[in-house]
Amino acid sequence: MALRYALLAALHERPATGYDLNQRFGRRQGFVWNASHQQIYRELGRLHDEGLLSMEAEPQAERPDRKRYTITPAGEVALREWLATPQPRPATRDPLLVKFFAGDLVEDRVLFDELVSLRHAWEERLAAYREIEATWFSEPETLSRHYRLQYLALRRGISAGQAWLGWLDEAETLLRTP
Amino acid sequence: MALRYALLAALHERPATGYDLNQRFGRRQGFVWNASHQQIYRELGRLHDEGLLSMEAEPQAERPDRKRYTITPAGEVALREWLATPQPRPATRDPLLVKFFAGDLVEDRVLFDELVSLRHAWEERLAAYREIEATWFSEPETLSRHYRLQYLALRRGISAGQAWLGWLDEAETLLRTP
DNA sequence: CCTTACATGTAACAAGTTACATGATTAG
DNA sequence: CTAATCATGTAACTTGTTACATGTAAGG
């Protein structure tokens, strides 16, 4: 039941289409919430049915209509209520750590390959996050409360990335030590 | 399809009952994989049906039989195969960051409360992880490859916890800055 | 008295993934 | 020639959660 609130939160920022939201919730971009386009379109439909979103279709030649969703007052109320209630922490489920745990059945090659690709992935993401940081949040103390909070969400992504890179160093070093 | 391999990996370490596994996969303990007891019992049943686990029931007075599961050769083959194939990274889905993102609809009180309880939770977990580290992994370089890899899995948990605590400091400071 | 540990499960539901579908345009 | 971008969806499936079920014994 949390995807819907992630969508409402995004649409509270500004109205958007399913396509737009799909970009922002993709595996690369989304450091807050990941979702596939199927999930997003389905949930937008439900939210619209329930009156939490209003929709305006912009007809396009040779393409499906672009549907722009806007949060309704009822949607904002629902979002507010959810935001005010404590949410449980997400579960941890990491296949990479499973591999480390059963490491005696895995060749070094496999582990190193995973570490290398993970490093690449995080370096790329971190670079993207840092660009956002430099462009929009260069002086955090001068920001309004609203943007400070968004900055902190971004900082969490950066902090997570740095922790992964630090651990990767440690892992590669220890695996190479005879 | 990954819970089953997390279970196989745990049972490859040593045979165990559903109850044991439930302890290890609980929200507190599991820094590798979280699962509820319903999921665990269901998946153990399936794995047994498919011949990847063997089971021995120990009858008990006044209680359900304790069922001890052991990985079979077929189970080890399946685990090996899975371990050798690259696995996608888990998705990010964090309700706390949703709250920060829609922060203008949330009162400071709510955010602070979440930060405080998150800090407590991580401090507790970190203390537990560090105790495991001190007890079993005090000299990483002297460990066998197998235990080194398990140590690295634990180190990942510690690294993640430290990153959260660092971010929490940052968040609390910035939220208090006028 | 209430909670936790012990020990297993079933049933119904919600959330998330995979496969399939359409179809033009632009960039490499 | 191939892939990506644009723009939406349906259907079938798997994974994970919530609620319900049973029953004893120990500890605060």
Side-chain angles (χ1 to χ4, degrees):
Chain A
M1 286 291 271
L3 165 61
R4 60 177 13 193
Y5 300 102
L7 291 170
L8 288 172
L11 293 171
H12 166 71
E13 269 294 290
R14 57 177 165 283
T17 65
Y19 189 87
D20 298 334
L21 292 164
N22 187 39
Q23 308 296 99
R24 300 176 56 193
F25 285 69
R27 280 288 209 283
R28 290 270 153 68
Q29 287 70 21
F31 57 94
V32 171
W33 205 273
N34 290 136
S36 62
H37 83 272
Q38 293 88 341
Q39 250 191 306
I40 290 169
Y41 287 121
R42 181 173 33 171
E43 198 62 37
L44 287 173
R46 286 181 193 159
L47 288 165
H48 183 247
D49 290 348
E50 293 171 37
L52 306 184
L53 297 179
S54 65
M55 187 263 284
E56 202 191 346
E58 301 169 21
Q60 303 204 118
E62 312 276 7
R63 278 187 199 173
D65 291 359
R66 181 196 305 223
K67 297 182 181 174
R68 181 162 298 271
Y69 290 94
T70 308
I71 193 167
T72 63
E76 203 181 298
V77 169
L79 177 56
R80 257 179 215 281
E81 273 167 21
W82 182 84
L83 289 167
T85 50
Q87 299 305 319
R89 295 271 67 214
T92 305
R93 292 191 182 103
D94 194 331
L96 180 62
L97 298 187
V98 174
K99 291 199 183 186
F100 273 77
F101 227 82
D104 54 336
L105 298 179
V106 196
E107 281 175 59
D108 260 341
R109 243 326 269 285
V110 172
L111 293 177
F112 269 111
D113 287 353
E114 295 258 22
L115 295 182
V116 167
S117 87
L118 187 56
R119 181 181 290 278
H120 283 327
W122 270 115
E123 277 169 353
E124 218 178 283
R125 271 164 157 252
L126 262 185
Y129 295 169
R130 288 210 163 104
E131 207 182 303
I132 299 172
E133 188 182 27
T135 312
W136 302 97
F137 302 107
S138 57
E139 281 176 273
E141 290 84 3
T142 66
L143 295 170
S144 68
R145 177 169 176 282
H146 181 49
Y147 287 111
R148 271 191 202 191
L149 294 174
Q150 296 205 346
Y151 170 67
L152 284 171
L154 176 64
R155 286 296 303 168
R156 169 55 204 161
I158 292 173
S159 165
Q162 289 173 327
W164 272 108
L165 291 178
W167 178 79
L168 286 166
D169 289 340
E170 198 182 329
E172 282 168 9
T173 305
L174 189 60
L175 288 183
R176 266 196 273 270
T177 310
Chain B
M1 287 288 273
L3 165 62
R4 58 179 13 195
Y5 299 102
L7 291 170
L8 288 171
L11 294 170
H12 166 72
E13 269 295 289
R14 57 178 165 283
T17 66
Y19 188 85
D20 298 335
L21 292 165
N22 187 40
Q23 307 296 99
R24 299 176 58 192
F25 285 69
R27 279 289 208 282
R28 291 268 154 68
Q29 287 71 21
F31 56 93
V32 171
W33 205 274
N34 291 136
S36 62
H37 83 271
Q38 293 88 340
Q39 251 191 307
I40 290 168
Y41 287 121
R42 180 172 37 170
E43 198 64 36
L44 286 174
R46 285 180 193 161
L47 289 165
H48 183 245
D49 290 348
E50 293 171 37
L52 306 184
L53 297 179
S54 63
M55 186 264 283
E56 202 191 346
E58 300 169 24
Q60 301 203 120
E62 312 277 6
R63 278 186 197 173
D65 291 359
R66 181 196 304 225
K67 297 181 179 174
R68 181 161 297 271
Y69 291 93
T70 308
I71 193 167
T72 62
E76 202 181 299
V77 168
L79 177 55
R80 258 178 214 280
E81 273 166 20
W82 182 84
L83 290 166
T85 50
Q87 299 304 320
R89 294 272 67 216
T92 304
R93 291 191 183 103
D94 194 331
L96 180 62
L97 298 186
V98 174
K99 291 200 183 185
F100 273 77
F101 227 82
D104 55 336
L105 297 180
V106 196
E107 281 175 58
D108 259 341
R109 244 326 270 284
V110 172
L111 293 178
F112 269 112
D113 288 353
E114 295 257 22
L115 295 182
V116 167
S117 87
L118 186 56
R119 181 182 289 280
H120 283 326
W122 269 114
E123 276 169 355
E124 216 177 286
R125 272 163 157 252
L126 261 186
Y129 295 169
R130 287 211 163 104
E131 207 182 303
I132 298 172
E133 188 182 26
T135 312
W136 302 97
F137 303 107
S138 57
E139 282 175 89
E141 290 84 1
T142 67
L143 296 168
S144 67
R145 177 169 176 281
H146 181 49
Y147 288 111
R148 271 190 201 191
L149 294 174
Q150 296 205 345
Y151 170 67
L152 285 172
L154 176 65
R155 287 295 304 168
R156 170 54 205 160
I158 291 173
S159 165
Q162 289 173 327
W164 272 108
L165 291 178
W167 178 79
L168 285 165
D169 289 339
E170 199 183 327
E172 282 167 11
T173 305
L174 189 59
L175 288 183
R176 266 195 272 270
T177 308

